[in-house]
C-alpha cells in the first residue's frame, strides 16, 4: 500500500521519473505545482561539508566552515557509544542549521585490508563493533529530524577501480563480515536513507543488485527508506530502479529520467515499480525537508569542545615504558616534527571538512608548565631528504630530557580514490627517528594517520601514542594526554600487524583489473591473526592507561554476563571491557574468537562497578547459506572477558544447544580449517563460493564499452594508449611539482568508466563524443 497514492496519481509519468535523479550536485528536484519540495544531501561523515560555491565529490572546492570531528577510524578507538551519539547529534545539528536534510554518513565498510585508502572513514575490521558504533552515529544525526545516510552498501573494500571492480565474496563471509554492520544499523537505528556503493558484488553492480537490495535490505531487514547512489554510481538506471534505487545523484541533466520513461513506454518496466520508488522518496522528502522548520542555532565553541573531548577519548597510548608519560611539570622537553605545529587531522576526498577552528599541540605544550627547550620541524612533510632539518632536530634533542617526536602519514597517503602502497611511514621521517634515538633515550613518538602502520622503531623508543586523525581539536587533546590532564582510554579497533606481508589478504589485495577475490573469506583482521597464531605488533582492542584495572566475580546467567571492575591505580580512568566468544571443538571452520560485547567504564581511583553485558542467540551463530539463515552449532563456548583480544582476565564455558552442521566441515577445507588463508587454491575458494571463479583479468581482445574504465584504454590500440598516457602525464607532472594531492585526483579519472565522462564533464564531452572515442580505441 502506497502512502502517497493520491499525490502520485496526480503526477505525470515524466514528473515521477524526474524525481528519480538530482536537480544538481546536492539537491533533489522540486515539483512546485504539487507542493513537493527539494531537499539537500551533503557530506559527511565526520563533519559537514556543505559547498557554498562550486560543487564536487572529491573535496576539491572549499566548503563552509564546520566542526571537524575525529574521523570514524579514530572515534571507533573510543569504543564509546554515547560519545559517538553526541558527535552524530552535533554534526546533524550543524547540517540542519545549514538546511541540509540528508547527511552522507557514517561510512561503515569493513576494513578488509589496512591499505584501503578510505579506511580512515570507516570504523573497524570487526562487524560487531562497526555496527554498534555506526548505529549510534545514525541515531545522533537523525535526532535532529534529518536523515543519516550509512554508506557504501556494500563490500566497498578497495579504492582502486572502485567504480567497476567486482568483489567476489562467499555468502557466509558476506553475511558474517561485510553485511552485519549494515544489518545492525538498519535494525537498530532506522536510517532513512542508505547509499549504495560503486562496485559490483558477485557480478552485479551493488546499485542494481536485487539480492542485496530487494531480498536482504528491504525484505529481510525491513528497511523502508531510500537508496541513493554514490555520486555518479548509476550504471543502468532501469536496473537500479528494479533494485530499489530511488534516487540517483547527482543530476544527469534528465538523461536517465528519460531512460525510465522510455522503459515504461516500451513495456520493459512496470510503472508500479516507479510508483513505489516515488512513494518511498516522497516519504523521505516530507519527513526531512526543512523549508518550514525553525533554523537551529549552533554554538560552534561548544562543538569545538566536543571535538576535543572526542579526540581525548579516542587517542590510543600504545607504549609507556618506565611510565615516561605523563610528563611532569618543569621537564625539559624538545618538540620535534612538522605535525606538532601543522596537525594532520583528517583525510582527503569527499569527507574533507573546512574546520571552523584548528588547534595544534605545539601551542598547548608551549603554554603548559613544561620547560619546552625548542621546536624543530625535523622533516619535509611530503617526503624528500633534508640533512639540515635532521641535524637541527637532533642537536635540539641532545639538550632535552624528553623528546616528543610527531610523525605520521602525510595528506597524500590517505585519500579517497587511492589505496595506500604500503604501511610504512615515509623514509625521511624514519631516518629522523633513527638519528634522534642515537642522542636521547627518552623519546615519545606521537603518530598521526588514519590506520595501522608498520612501526620498526617500536622497541627503541620509550613511548608511543597514536592520535589517528583526531579532528580540529586533536592538537589540544594530545597535549592533554601528554601532560596527564586526561588519562588515555582509547583502544585499537583494528590490529596492527608487524609487517604488511602478514595481512591475510596480502596476496589478493587490491583486485587489479576485473575482480577482487576475497579468498581469505571471513579471516580478516584479528579473526586471522588469532586463529592462525600470527604474532602482531598490537592486537585488536589494545591500549594503555595511566591507571590499572582489576576484573573479578564473573557470573554468567544464560545470556547475561556480569562482573566487577575496579580501578586499582592512583588516577581516574576508563577501561574498555571486551567480551569474546570462542567455540571449543567446533565441527566447522571459524575464527577462534569473535567480539560480542563491550562497554567503556569510567572509574575513580579505588572505585568498583558491576558491569553487565547481554548476549543473544545470534552472538553464537554462524550463517548457513543452505537454509539462508543463522544457526547455532551445538557445543561448548568459552565466554571471555578481557581488556584486549590477547589479555583475557576471566572466562567460563557455557553449553549451547543447536545443530550439528553439515556444511563448512573442517576436514573438507584443509586451508580454511586452520586459517591458512594467504594462498587459498582456487578449488577451495570455489567450494565455498559455490561456483567457478570468473576471470580476474580484463579481456584485452574485447571491445571497450561504456562500463569499462579509461584505465583499460592503455591495453588497446595507439589511440587508447595515447589517451591513457596523456591523462597519466598530469599525474606525473603534479607529482613532480610537489602537488601529490592533485596528482592523486588523476586516479579518479583513470578509474572512471566511460559512461561517466559526459556526466562528469557536465555534458561538455557528450555521450556521442565518448562513443566516437570508443570506436577509435576499439578499431
Ligand atoms: C563518495 C561518497 C560521497 C559522495 C558525495 C563519492 O565520491 O564515495 O562517500 O558521499 O562522493 O561527495
Amino acid at each position: 500500500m502506497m502512502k502517497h497514492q493520491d499525490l502520485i496519481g496526480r503526477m505525470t509519468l515524466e514528473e515521477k521519473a524526474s524525481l528519480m535523479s538530482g536537480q544538481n550536485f546536492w539537491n533533489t528536484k522540486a515539483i512546485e505545482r504539487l507542493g513537493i519540495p527539494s531537499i539537500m544531501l551533503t557530506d559527511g561523515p565526520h563533519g559537514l561539508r556543505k559547498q557554498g560555491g562550486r560543487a564536487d565529490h572529491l573535496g576539491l572546492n572549499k566548503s563552509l566552515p564546520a566542526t571537524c570531528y575525529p574521523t570514524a577510524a579514530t572515534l571507533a578507538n573510543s569504543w564509546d557509544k554515547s560519545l559517538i551519539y553526541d558527535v552524530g547529534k552535533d554534526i546533524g545539528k550543524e547540517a540542519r542549521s545549514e538546511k541540509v536534510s540528508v547527511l552522507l554518513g557514517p561510512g561503515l565498510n569493513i576494513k578488509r585490508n589496512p591499505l584501503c585508502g578510505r579506511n580512515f572513514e570507516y570504523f573497524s575490521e570487526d562487524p560487531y563493533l562497526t555496527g554498534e558504533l555506526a548505529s549510534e552515529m545514525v541515531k545522533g544525526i537523525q535526532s535532529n529530524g534529518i536523515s543519516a545516510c550509512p554508506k557504501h552498501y556494500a563490500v566497498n573494500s578497495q579504492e582502486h577501480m572502485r567504480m567497476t571492480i567486482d568483489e567476489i565474496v562467499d555468502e557466509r563471509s558476506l553475511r558474517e563480515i561485510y553485511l552485519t554492520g549494515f544489518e545492525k544499523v538498519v535494525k537498530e537505528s532506522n536510517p532513512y536513507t542508505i547509499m549504495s556503493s560503486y562496485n559490483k558484488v558477485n557480478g552485479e553492480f551493488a546499485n542494481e543488485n536485487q539480492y542485496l537490495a530487494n531480498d536482504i535490505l528491504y525484505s529481510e531487514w525491513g528497511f523502508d527508506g531510500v537508496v541513493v547512489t554514490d555520486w555518479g554510481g548509476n550504471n543502468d538506471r532501469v536496473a537500479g530502479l528494479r533494485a530499489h534505487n530511488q534516487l540517483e545523484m547527482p543530476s544527469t541533466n534528465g538523461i536517465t529520467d528519460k531512460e525510465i520513461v522510455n522503459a515504461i513506454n516500451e513495456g520493459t518496466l512496470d510503472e508500479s515499480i516507479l510508483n513505489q520508488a516515488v512513494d518511498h522518496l516522497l516519504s523521505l522528502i516530507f519527513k526531512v525537508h526543512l523549508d518550514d522548520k525553525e533554523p537551529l542555532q549552533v554554538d560552534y565553541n561548544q562543538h569545538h569542545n566536543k571535538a576535543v573531548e572526542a579526540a581525548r577519548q579516542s587517542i590510543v597510548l600504545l607504549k609507556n615504558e618506565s611510565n615516561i608519560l605523563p610528563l611532569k611539570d618543569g621537564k625539559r622537553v624538545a618538540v620535534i616534527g612538522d605535525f606538532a605545529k601543522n596537525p594532520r587531522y583528517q583525510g582527503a576526498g569527499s569527507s574533507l571538512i573546512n574546520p571552523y577552528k584548528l588547534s595544534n599541540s605545539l601551542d598547548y605544550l608551549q603554554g603548559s608548565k613544561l620547560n619546552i627547550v625548542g621546536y624543530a620541524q625535523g622533516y619535509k612533510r611530503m617526503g624528500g631528504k633534508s640533512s639540515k632539518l635532521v641535524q637541527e632536530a637532533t642537536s635540539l634533542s641532545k639538550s632535552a630530557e624528553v623528546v616528543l617526536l610527531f610523525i605520521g602519514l602525510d595528506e597524500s597517503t590517505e585519500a579517497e580514490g587511492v589505496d595506500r602502497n604500503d604501511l610504512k611511514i615515509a623514509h625521511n621521517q624514519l631516518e629522523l627517528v633513527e638519528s634522534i634515538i642515537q642522542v636521547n633515550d627518552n623519546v615519545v613518538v606521537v603518530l598521526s594517520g588514519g590506520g595501522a602502520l608498520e612501526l620498526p622503531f617500536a622497541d627503541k623508543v620509550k613511548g608511543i601514542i597514536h592520535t589517528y586523525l583526531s579532528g580540529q581539536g586533536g592538537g589540544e587533546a594530545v597535549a592533554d594526554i601528554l601532560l596527564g590532564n586526561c588519562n588515555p582510554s582509547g583502544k585499537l579497533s583494528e590490529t596492527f600487524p608487524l609487517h604488511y606481508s602478514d595481512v591475510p589478504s596480502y596476496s589478493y589485495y587490491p583486485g587489479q583489473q576485473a575482480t577482487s577475490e576475497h579468498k581469505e573469506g571471513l579471516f580478516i583482521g584479528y579473526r586471522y591473526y588469532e586463529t592462525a597464531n600470527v604474532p602482531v605488533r598490537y592486537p585488536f582492542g589494545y591500549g594503555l592507561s595511566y591507571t590499572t584495572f582489576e576484573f573479578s566475580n564473573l557470573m554468567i546467567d544464560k545470556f547475561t554476563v556480569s562482573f566487577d571492575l575496579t580501578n586499582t591505580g592512583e588516577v581516574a580512568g576508563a577501561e574498555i571491557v571486551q567480551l569474546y566468544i570462542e567455540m571449543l571443538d567446533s565441527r566447522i571452520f571459524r575464527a577462534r574468537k569473535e567480539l560480542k560485547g563491550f562497554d567503556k567504564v569510567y572509574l575513580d581511583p579505588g572505585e568498583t562497578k558491576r558491569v553487565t553485558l547481554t548476549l543473544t542467540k545470534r552472538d553464537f551463530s554462524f550463517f548457513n547459506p543452505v537454509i539462508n539463515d543463522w544457526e547455532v552449532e551445538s557445543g561448548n563456548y568459552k565466554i571471555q572477558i578481557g581488556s584486549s583480544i590477547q589479555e583475557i582476565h576471566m572466562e567460563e564455558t557455557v553449553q549451547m544447544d543447536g545443530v550439528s552442521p553439515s556444511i563448512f566441515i573442517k576436514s573438507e577445507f584443509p586451508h580454511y580449517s586452520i586459517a591458512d588463508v594467504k594462498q587459498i587454491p582456487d578449488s577451495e575458494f570455489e567450494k565455498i563460493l559455490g561456483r567457478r571463479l570468473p576471470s580476474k583479468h580484463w579481456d584485452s581482445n574485447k571491445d571497450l564499452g561504456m562500463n569499462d574504465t579509461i584505465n583499460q584504454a592503455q591495453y588497446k590500440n595507439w589511440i587508447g594508449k595515447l589517451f591513457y598516457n596523456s591523462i597519466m602525464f598530469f599525474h606525473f607532472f603534479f607529482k613532480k611539482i610537489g602537488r601529490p594531492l592533485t596528482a592523486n585526483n588523476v586516479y579518479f579519472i583513470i578509474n572512471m568508466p566511460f559512461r561517466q565522462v559526459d556526466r562528469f564533464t557536465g555534458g561538455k564531452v557528450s555521450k556521442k563524443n565518448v562513443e566516437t572515442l570508443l570506436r577509435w580505441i576499439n578499431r
Side-chain angles (χ1 to χ4, degrees), residues 538-555:
Y538 298 117
F540 179 79
Y542 169 84
L544 302 172
S545 164
Y546 294 153
T547 187
T548 47
F549 298 96
E550 211 175 83
F551 292 70
S552 59
N553 299 329
L554 175 64
M555 274 197 24

Side-chain angles (χ1 to χ4, degrees), residues 26 43 49 56-58 104 118 121 151-152 162 195 198 230-231 350 416:
W26 301 117
D43 290 303
R49 185 178 74 103
D56 70 85
H57 63 303
L58 312 178
L104 304 175
R118 272 185 109 168
E121 279 187 73
K151 62 191 188 184
H152 313 85
R162 67 176 177 160
M195 187 189 289
Y198 287 129
D230 198 345
W231 264 233
S350 63
E416 181 177 336

